[in-house]
Amino acid sequence: MNTPISWIKAYVPDLDVDIREFVDKMTLSGSHVESFEQKDKNLNKIVVGRIEKIERHPDADKLIVCQVNVGTETIQIVTGAPNVREGDLVPTVLDGGKVAGGHDGSPLPEDGIVIKKGKLRGVESFGMMCSIEELGSSRDFYPEAPENGIYIFAEDFGVKPGDDAIAALGLNDAVVEYEITSNRVDCFSMIGMAREVAATFDKKFYAPEIKVKGSGGDVNDYVSVEVQDTDLCPRYVARVVKNLKIGPSPKWMRDRLAAQGIRSINNLVDITNYVMEEMGQPMHAFDLDTVAGHKIIVRRAKDGDTFVTLDGQERKMDKDVLMICDGEKEIGIAGIMGGANSMVTDEIKTLLFEAACFDGTNIRLSSKRIGLATDAAAKFVKGLDPNLAMCAMNRACQLIEELGCGEVVDGVIDIYPNPVAEKVLPFEPDKMNKLLGTNLDADFMLSVFKKLELVYDEKTNTLTIPTFRQDLNCMADLAEEVARFYGYDNIPTTLPHASATVGKKSYAEYINDVARNVVESNGFSGGMCYSFESKKVFDKLLIPEDSMYRQAIEIMNPLGEDFSIMRTLPLNGLLTSLATNYNRRNKDVRLYELANVYIPKALPLTELPDEYMKLALGMYGAGDFFTIKGVVEELFEKLGFAAEVGYEPTSEHVFLHPGRQADITKGKLSLGYIGQLHPEVADNYGIKTEVYIAVLNMDVVAMISSFDRKYEGIAKFPAVTRDLSLVADKSIFVGQIESVIRKCGGKLLESYKLFDVYEGAQVADGKKSVAYSLVFRDKTKTLVDADVNPIIEKLLAELGKLGIEIRA
């Protein structure tokens, strides 16, 4: 938000501070100043001069010699300007003065350029007459200035020789740029910022007195209004102005708009721009003679409709875009831009003024969909106060009358079915002091609230909040107002008041921490990849067209194609990082990520998707399938259920090697999967070596994990060890054998260990030899053969059912 100081002083006339003190105090009171620009920074000793006499230069055909009255004296100036005449009043730089720009608008040194007396082709010159560009401005804001030549003051400036030319042109000003937070909608206007300035510097704020005289008649005889979609247009205000007279705006209005960076066009356009900047309420003007049936209808567009806006572009509409229509057609996109078919021209006779409040969210979405951003839309997006519409309408009509632009018809059409009421909050000074750590008295707080136009009711001890302060909703908000005008730098340092509650991590997050510690201790480095991905990921991972993984949530407003969906698998980011390391010749890399995946319940979305936390491990280089499996088993051991986990061979995961993958299970629960990355997938990512991955479902892992541990003393009785050498088919996994060992070993089985796997001579084709060491122990006695032999016999019998025999 840019605010010229000169405009602010229209409402806070007693303001008299240095610009640097101004920006410092405004920032400290909560209106953060981004930057400021002094328009007269490099302008010095520039006065109004009147050209008394012009003579030709004796030695130059294109130069003239002027005698210029500068108030205190008449000086001689040599110039080549072709547009000056005797009697003209012009800005004149005296000897030693400075200008800010070149005559063609080209920039000069940062601190301007000093003008000194000298000779031009042998004739003395004691100053310089200036173009508008040399004064640091342009014809955009001073259209009356010549394209090439000296600026000449018009009669309505009312200046005389010796006057300050910079002040006469309105350039003795500073423009301050604020960073306004989205909750302070009222500050996106001159009046809103003026209120802040008045409260910050403890000055009186003078709001403009709005009075509309009217010229008789009844607005209802001229136009009718129907609002069909009040959810998108909570208020619509309309007035009519007849006998319009289009012409230039007065100098004061042109100066204020120019200081704001707005070029003056004509009195009618300038009034709408002026009110939008002053009040923060966009307005729109229609030529009533082009409004069919003299009727306004506010309704949604239809899918597939097209509309030509004021800029001549055809826009495609849909059912969510709000339109302003007449009795036959659309004539404007609500809150964004009017239509070319209702354009106001210089031939306008009767004007229909519109001031409305539109739903900010709808305006933002509509503006983006149709590709049209305007200053008006930017205001509506913030969420305007509906009560502002009537004030802005009357202010515009007042200016119409004051500037002699036309005659305002009596009456106003106001469609406002659900008026916004003022909020009432309790005044609680003790709670505010406790929150702020201060000891301010109630009278000081009430003085702050009075400056902010909050009304205190002593009987009920409440504060009535004006509707333009939509950000004040509770005691904490009121306390913030007190704090920022008391001065954050004045609030003493105090210790916070602690409550009895103790914050801690959730159990699931604690499990995640355990997982991090385990995998990091095994050499894995953590990563954090984007949750947004491209649809191309599915092709790289060889995911079939009918796979559930392709049912991904699409982003409505993606940063680009590579971030257009939400991930359903945690692998792409991890594999991309592994590929980056591989291509940078890092030999041994181990990465992990705790990543959320997003699974929609239905598409298109009707409710929030399911989010599942996955632990994804990926590695290449030193290590193999059993290395990464060992890391997973260590984690399960840490979480208390390693002995119950099974690894079931599968080929369902198409992105894994079909013969080197397994599902990780515990009973009927799926804990994840593990395996070698499919060679084609590895090639798609540019990795020319074997890659091993494991993915765990952390929600299930957290559910079955346990940290219950029972202490067992040192064994008092000796153990009995039995070694078993078995012959089994190659198709039988050792996991199946170990499952039988655990089942038959019972309580006496203390541990078991696979110590040999052999294939080759002395073992039949299609067979393998596996050897286990079993340890048995009883906590109450010394075991003998009679205790252990039945267990071994039962174990061999169960293994026999799988075709497993004792090796001869």
Side-chain angles (χ1 to χ4, degrees), residues 134-195:
E134 287 165 329
L135 299 177
S137 190
S138 70
R139 296 180 67 247
D140 287 339
F141 305 111
Y142 294 87
E144 71 275 13
E147 187 172 353
N148 293 297
I150 303 302
Y151 183 85
I152 298 173
F153 287 101
E155 290 184 7
D156 63 350
F157 277 84
V159 295
K160 64 183 185 300
D163 286 353
D164 186 342
I166 303 308
L169 288 164
L171 294 174
N172 59 337
D173 200 359
V175 177
V176 182
E177 180 186 0
Y178 297 94
E179 180 188 358
I180 306 297
T181 54
S182 58
N183 65 321
R184 290 303 306 274
V185 182
D186 58 302
C187 287
F188 286 94
S189 66
M190 294 298 167
I191 285 181
M193 288 311 306
R195 285 194 186 98

Coordinates of all heavy atoms in Angstrom, one line a residue, residues 134-195:
E134 N 12.9 16.9 -16.0 CA 14.0 17.4 -15.2 C 13.6 17.5 -13.8 O 14.5 17.6 -12.9 CB 14.5 18.7 -15.8 CG 15.3 18.5 -17.1 CD 15.5 19.8 -17.9 OE1 14.7 20.7 -17.8 OE2 16.6 19.8 -18.6
L135 N 12.3 17.6 -13.5 CA 11.8 17.7 -12.1 C 11.5 16.3 -11.5 O 10.9 16.2 -10.5 CB 10.6 18.5 -12.1 CG 10.8 20.0 -12.5 CD1 9.5 20.8 -12.5 CD2 11.8 20.7 -11.6
G136 N 11.9 15.3 -12.3 CA 11.8 13.9 -11.8 C 10.4 13.3 -12.0 O 10.2 12.2 -11.4
S137 N 9.6 13.9 -12.8 CA 8.3 13.3 -13.1 C 8.1 13.1 -14.6 O 9.1 13.0 -15.3 CB 7.2 14.2 -12.6 OG 5.9 13.6 -12.6
S138 N 6.9 12.9 -15.1 CA 6.7 12.6 -16.5 C 5.4 13.1 -16.9 O 4.5 13.5 -16.1 CB 6.8 11.1 -16.7 OG 5.7 10.4 -16.1
R139 N 5.1 13.0 -18.2 CA 3.9 13.5 -18.8 C 2.7 12.5 -18.5 O 1.6 12.8 -18.7 CB 4.0 13.6 -20.3 CG 5.0 14.7 -20.8 CD 5.1 14.8 -22.3 NE 3.9 15.3 -22.9 CZ 3.1 14.6 -23.7 NH1 3.4 13.3 -24.0 NH2 2.0 15.1 -24.2
D140 N 3.0 11.3 -17.9 CA 2.0 10.4 -17.5 C 1.1 11.1 -16.4 O -0.1 10.8 -16.3 CB 2.6 9.1 -17.0 CG 3.1 8.2 -18.1 OD1 2.6 8.4 -19.3 OD2 3.9 7.4 -17.9
F141 N 1.8 11.8 -15.6 CA 1.1 12.4 -14.4 C 0.9 13.9 -14.6 O 0.2 14.6 -13.9 CB 1.9 12.2 -13.1 CG 2.2 10.7 -12.9 CD1 3.5 10.2 -13.0 CD2 1.2 9.9 -12.6 CE1 3.7 8.9 -12.8 CE2 1.4 8.5 -12.4 CZ 2.7 8.0 -12.5
Y142 N 1.6 14.5 -15.6 CA 1.3 15.9 -16.0 C 1.1 16.0 -17.5 O 2.0 16.4 -18.3 CB 2.6 16.8 -15.6 CG 2.8 16.8 -14.1 CD1 3.5 15.9 -13.4 CD2 2.2 17.9 -13.3 CE1 3.6 15.9 -12.0 CE2 2.3 17.9 -11.9 CZ 3.0 16.9 -11.3 OH 3.2 17.0 -9.9
P143 N 0.0 15.5 -17.9 CA -0.3 15.4 -19.4 C -0.3 16.7 -20.1 O -0.1 16.8 -21.3 CB -1.7 14.7 -19.5 CG -2.3 15.0 -18.1 CD -1.2 15.0 -17.1
E144 N -0.4 17.8 -19.3 CA -0.4 19.1 -20.0 C 1.0 19.6 -20.3 O 1.2 20.6 -21.1 CB -1.1 20.1 -19.0 CG -0.3 20.5 -17.8 CD -0.4 19.5 -16.6 OE1 -1.0 18.4 -16.8 OE2 0.0 19.9 -15.5
A145 N 2.0 18.8 -19.8 CA 3.4 19.2 -20.1 C 3.7 18.9 -21.6 O 3.2 17.9 -22.1 CB 4.3 18.4 -19.2
P146 N 4.5 19.7 -22.3 CA 4.8 19.5 -23.7 C 5.7 18.3 -23.8 O 6.5 17.9 -22.9 CB 5.5 20.8 -24.1 CG 6.1 21.3 -22.8 CD 5.1 21.0 -21.7
E147 N 5.7 17.6 -24.9 CA 6.5 16.4 -25.2 C 8.0 16.8 -25.2 O 8.8 16.0 -24.7 CB 6.1 15.8 -26.5 CG 6.8 14.4 -26.7 CD 6.3 13.7 -27.9 OE1 5.3 14.2 -28.5 OE2 6.8 12.7 -28.3
N148 N 8.3 17.9 -25.8 CA 9.7 18.4 -25.8 C 9.7 19.9 -25.5 O 9.3 20.7 -26.3 CB 10.4 18.1 -27.1 CG 10.6 16.7 -27.4 OD1 11.3 16.0 -26.7 ND2 9.9 16.1 -28.4
G149 N 10.0 20.2 -24.3 CA 10.0 21.7 -24.0 C 9.9 21.9 -22.5 O 9.8 21.0 -21.7
I150 N 9.8 23.2 -22.1 CA 9.7 23.7 -20.8 C 8.3 23.5 -20.3 O 7.3 23.8 -21.0 CB 10.2 25.1 -20.7 CG1 11.6 25.3 -21.2 CG2 10.1 25.6 -19.2 CD1 12.6 24.5 -20.5
Y151 N 8.1 23.1 -19.0 CA 6.8 23.1 -18.4 C 6.3 24.5 -18.2 O 7.0 25.3 -17.6 CB 6.8 22.3 -17.1 CG 5.5 22.1 -16.5 CD1 4.6 21.1 -16.9 CD2 5.0 23.0 -15.5 CE1 3.4 21.0 -16.3 CE2 3.7 22.9 -15.0 CZ 2.9 21.9 -15.4 OH 1.6 21.7 -14.9
I152 N 5.1 24.8 -18.5 CA 4.5 26.1 -18.3 C 3.3 26.0 -17.4 O 2.4 25.2 -17.6 CB 4.0 26.7 -19.7 CG1 5.3 26.8 -20.6 CG2 3.3 28.0 -19.5 CD1 4.9 27.2 -22.0
F153 N 3.3 26.8 -16.3 CA 2.2 26.7 -15.3 C 0.9 27.3 -16.0 O 0.9 28.4 -16.6 CB 2.6 27.5 -14.1 CG 3.6 26.9 -13.2 CD1 4.9 27.3 -13.3 CD2 3.2 25.9 -12.4 CE1 5.9 26.7 -12.5 CE2 4.2 25.3 -11.6 CZ 5.5 25.7 -11.6
A154 N -0.2 26.5 -15.8 CA -1.5 27.0 -16.2 C -2.0 28.0 -15.2 O -1.5 28.2 -14.1 CB -2.5 25.9 -16.4
E155 N -3.1 28.7 -15.6 CA -3.6 29.8 -14.8 C -4.2 29.2 -13.5 O -4.1 29.9 -12.4 CB -4.8 30.5 -15.5 CG -4.3 31.4 -16.7 CD -5.4 32.2 -17.3 OE1 -6.5 32.1 -16.8 OE2 -5.2 32.8 -18.4
D156 N -4.7 28.0 -13.5 CA -5.4 27.5 -12.3 C -4.4 27.1 -11.2 O -4.7 26.8 -10.1 CB -6.3 26.3 -12.6 CG -5.5 25.1 -13.2 OD1 -4.3 25.3 -13.5 OD2 -6.1 24.0 -13.3
F157 N -3.1 27.2 -11.5 CA -2.1 27.0 -10.4 C -2.0 28.2 -9.5 O -1.6 28.0 -8.3 CB -0.7 26.8 -11.1 CG -0.4 25.4 -11.5 CD1 -0.8 24.9 -12.7 CD2 0.2 24.5 -10.7 CE1 -0.6 23.6 -13.1 CE2 0.5 23.2 -11.1 CZ 0.0 22.7 -12.3
G158 N -2.4 29.4 -10.0 CA -2.4 30.6 -9.1 C -1.0 30.9 -8.6 O -1.0 31.3 -7.4
V159 N 0.0 30.8 -9.4 CA 1.4 31.1 -8.9 C 1.8 32.4 -9.4 O 1.3 33.0 -10.4 CB 2.3 30.0 -9.3 CG1 2.0 28.7 -8.7 CG2 2.4 29.8 -10.8
K160 N 2.9 32.9 -8.8 CA 3.5 34.2 -9.2 C 5.0 34.0 -9.1 O 5.5 33.1 -8.4 CB 3.0 35.3 -8.3 CG 3.4 35.2 -6.8 CD 2.8 36.3 -6.0 CE 3.3 36.3 -4.5 NZ 2.9 35.0 -3.8
P161 N 5.8 34.9 -9.7 CA 7.2 34.8 -9.6 C 7.7 34.8 -8.2 O 7.3 35.5 -7.3 CB 7.7 36.1 -10.4 CG 6.6 36.4 -11.3 CD 5.3 36.1 -10.6
G162 N 8.7 33.9 -8.0 CA 9.3 33.7 -6.7 C 8.7 32.6 -5.8 O 9.3 32.2 -4.8
D163 N 7.5 32.1 -6.2 CA 6.9 31.0 -5.5 C 7.7 29.8 -5.6 O 8.4 29.6 -6.6 CB 5.4 30.8 -6.0 CG 4.5 31.9 -5.5 OD1 4.9 32.7 -4.7 OD2 3.3 31.9 -6.0
D164 N 7.5 28.9 -4.6 CA 8.1 27.6 -4.7 C 7.5 26.7 -5.8 O 6.3 26.3 -5.7 CB 8.0 26.9 -3.3 CG 8.8 25.6 -3.2 OD1 9.2 25.0 -4.3 OD2 9.0 25.1 -2.1
A165 N 8.3 26.5 -6.8 CA 7.7 25.7 -8.0 C 7.4 24.3 -7.6 O 6.5 23.6 -8.1 CB 8.7 25.8 -9.2
I166 N 8.2 23.7 -6.7 CA 8.1 22.3 -6.3 C 6.8 22.1 -5.6 O 6.0 21.2 -5.8 CB 9.3 21.8 -5.5 CG1 10.6 22.0 -6.3 CG2 9.1 20.4 -5.1 CD1 10.5 21.4 -7.7
A167 N 6.5 23.0 -4.7 CA 5.3 23.0 -3.9 C 4.1 23.2 -4.8 O 3.0 22.5 -4.7 CB 5.3 24.0 -2.8
A168 N 4.2 24.1 -5.8 CA 3.1 24.4 -6.7 C 2.8 23.1 -7.6 O 1.6 22.9 -7.9 CB 3.5 25.5 -7.6
L169 N 3.8 22.3 -7.9 CA 3.6 21.1 -8.7 C 3.2 19.9 -7.8 O 2.9 18.8 -8.4 CB 4.8 20.8 -9.5 CG 5.1 21.8 -10.7 CD1 6.5 21.6 -11.2 CD2 4.1 21.5 -11.8
G170 N 3.2 20.1 -6.5 CA 2.9 19.0 -5.6 C 4.0 18.0 -5.5 O 3.7 16.8 -5.1
L171 N 5.2 18.4 -5.8 CA 6.3 17.5 -5.7 C 7.1 17.5 -4.4 O 8.0 16.8 -4.2 CB 7.3 17.8 -6.9 CG 6.8 17.5 -8.3 CD1 7.8 18.0 -9.3 CD2 6.5 16.0 -8.5
N172 N 6.6 18.4 -3.5 CA 7.3 18.5 -2.2 C 6.6 17.5 -1.3 O 5.9 17.8 -0.3 CB 7.2 19.9 -1.6 CG 5.7 20.4 -1.5 OD1 4.9 19.9 -2.2 ND2 5.5 21.3 -0.6
D173 N 6.7 16.2 -1.6 CA 5.9 15.1 -1.0 C 6.8 13.9 -0.8 O 7.9 13.8 -1.4 CB 4.7 14.8 -1.9 CG 3.6 14.1 -1.1 OD1 3.8 13.8 0.1 OD2 2.6 13.8 -1.7
A174 N 6.3 13.0 0.0 CA 7.0 11.7 0.2 C 5.9 10.6 0.1 O 4.8 10.8 0.6 CB 7.7 11.6 1.5
V175 N 6.3 9.5 -0.6 CA 5.3 8.4 -0.7 C 5.9 7.2 0.1 O 7.0 6.8 -0.1 CB 5.2 8.0 -2.2 CG1 4.2 6.7 -2.3 CG2 4.6 9.1 -3.0
V176 N 5.1 6.7 1.0 CA 5.5 5.6 1.9 C 4.8 4.4 1.5 O 3.6 4.3 1.3 CB 5.1 6.0 3.4 CG1 5.6 4.9 4.3 CG2 5.7 7.3 3.8
E177 N 5.6 3.3 1.4 CA 5.1 2.0 1.0 C 5.0 1.1 2.2 O 6.0 0.9 2.9 CB 6.0 1.3 -0.1 CG 5.4 -0.1 -0.5 CD 6.4 -0.8 -1.4 OE1 7.4 -0.2 -1.8 OE2 6.0 -1.9 -1.8
Y178 N 3.8 0.6 2.5 CA 3.6 -0.3 3.7 C 3.4 -1.7 3.3 O 2.9 -2.0 2.2 CB 2.3 0.2 4.4 CG 2.4 1.6 5.0 CD1 1.9 2.6 4.3 CD2 3.0 1.8 6.3 CE1 1.9 3.9 4.8 CE2 3.0 3.1 6.8 CZ 2.5 4.1 6.1 OH 2.5 5.4 6.6
E179 N 3.8 -2.6 4.1 CA 3.4 -4.0 4.0 C 2.2 -4.3 4.9 O 2.4 -4.3 6.1 CB 4.6 -4.9 4.4 CG 4.3 -6.4 4.3 CD 5.3 -7.3 4.9 OE1 6.4 -6.8 5.3 OE2 5.1 -8.5 4.9
I180 N 1.1 -4.3 4.3 CA -0.2 -4.5 5.1 C -0.5 -6.0 5.2 O -0.6 -6.7 4.2 CB -1.3 -3.7 4.4 CG1 -1.0 -2.3 4.1 CG2 -2.6 -3.8 5.3 CD1 -0.7 -1.5 5.4
T181 N -0.7 -6.4 6.4 CA -1.1 -7.8 6.6 C -2.6 -8.0 6.2 O -3.4 -7.1 6.2 CB -1.0 -8.2 8.1 OG1 -1.7 -7.3 8.9 CG2 0.5 -8.2 8.5
S182 N -2.9 -9.2 5.8 CA -4.2 -9.5 5.1 C -5.4 -9.3 6.1 O -6.5 -9.1 5.6 CB -4.2 -10.9 4.6 OG -4.0 -11.9 5.6
N183 N -5.1 -9.3 7.4 CA -6.2 -9.1 8.3 C -6.6 -7.6 8.5 O -7.7 -7.3 9.1 CB -5.9 -9.7 9.7 CG -4.8 -9.0 10.4 OD1 -3.8 -8.6 9.7 ND2 -4.8 -8.9 11.7
R184 N -5.8 -6.7 8.0 CA -6.1 -5.3 8.2 C -6.6 -4.7 6.9 O -5.9 -3.9 6.2 CB -4.8 -4.5 8.7 CG -4.4 -4.8 10.1 CD -5.5 -4.5 11.1 NE -6.0 -3.2 11.0 CZ -5.5 -2.1 11.6 NH1 -4.4 -2.2 12.3 NH2 -6.1 -0.9 11.4
V185 N -7.8 -5.2 6.5 CA -8.4 -4.7 5.2 C -8.6 -3.2 5.2 O -8.5 -2.5 4.2 CB -9.7 -5.4 5.0 CG1 -10.3 -5.0 3.7 CG2 -9.5 -6.9 5.0
D186 N -8.9 -2.6 6.4 CA -9.2 -1.2 6.5 C -8.0 -0.4 6.1 O -8.1 0.8 5.8 CB -9.6 -0.9 7.9 CG -8.6 -1.3 9.0 OD1 -8.3 -2.5 9.1 OD2 -8.2 -0.4 9.7
C187 N -6.8 -0.9 6.2 CA -5.5 -0.2 6.0 C -5.2 -0.1 4.5 O -4.2 0.5 4.1 CB -4.4 -0.7 6.8 SG -4.5 -0.3 8.5
F188 N -6.0 -0.8 3.6 CA -5.8 -0.7 2.2 C -6.5 0.5 1.7 O -7.2 0.5 0.6 CB -6.3 -2.0 1.5 CG -5.3 -3.1 1.7 CD1 -5.6 -4.0 2.7 CD2 -4.2 -3.3 0.9 CE1 -4.7 -5.1 2.9 CE2 -3.4 -4.4 1.1 CZ -3.6 -5.3 2.1
S189 N -6.5 1.6 2.4 CA -7.1 2.9 2.0 C -6.4 4.0 2.7 O -5.7 3.9 3.7 CB -8.6 2.9 2.4 OG -8.7 2.9 3.8
M190 N -6.6 5.2 2.1 CA -5.9 6.4 2.7 C -6.5 6.7 4.0 O -5.8 7.1 5.0 CB -6.1 7.6 1.7 CG -5.4 7.5 0.4 SD -3.6 7.4 0.7 CE -3.1 6.9 -1.0
I191 N -7.9 6.6 4.2 CA -8.5 6.9 5.4 C -8.0 5.9 6.5 O -7.8 6.3 7.6 CB -10.0 6.9 5.3 CG1 -10.5 8.1 4.5 CG2 -10.7 6.7 6.6 CD1 -12.0 8.3 4.3
G192 N -7.9 4.6 6.1 CA -7.5 3.6 7.1 C -6.1 3.9 7.6 O -5.8 3.8 8.8
M193 N -5.2 4.3 6.7 CA -3.8 4.6 7.1 C -3.8 5.9 7.9 O -3.0 6.1 8.8 CB -2.9 4.7 5.9 CG -2.5 3.3 5.3 SD -2.0 2.1 6.4 CE -0.7 2.9 7.3
A194 N -4.6 6.9 7.5 CA -4.7 8.1 8.3 C -5.1 7.9 9.7 O -4.6 8.5 10.6 CB -5.7 9.1 7.6
R195 N -6.0 7.0 9.9 CA -6.4 6.6 11.3 C -5.2 6.1 12.1 O -5.0 6.4 13.2 CB -7.5 5.5 11.3 CG -8.9 6.0 10.9 CD -9.9 5.0 11.3 NE -11.3 5.3 10.8 CZ -11.8 4.8 9.7 NH1 -11.1 4.0 8.9 NH2 -13.0 5.2 9.3

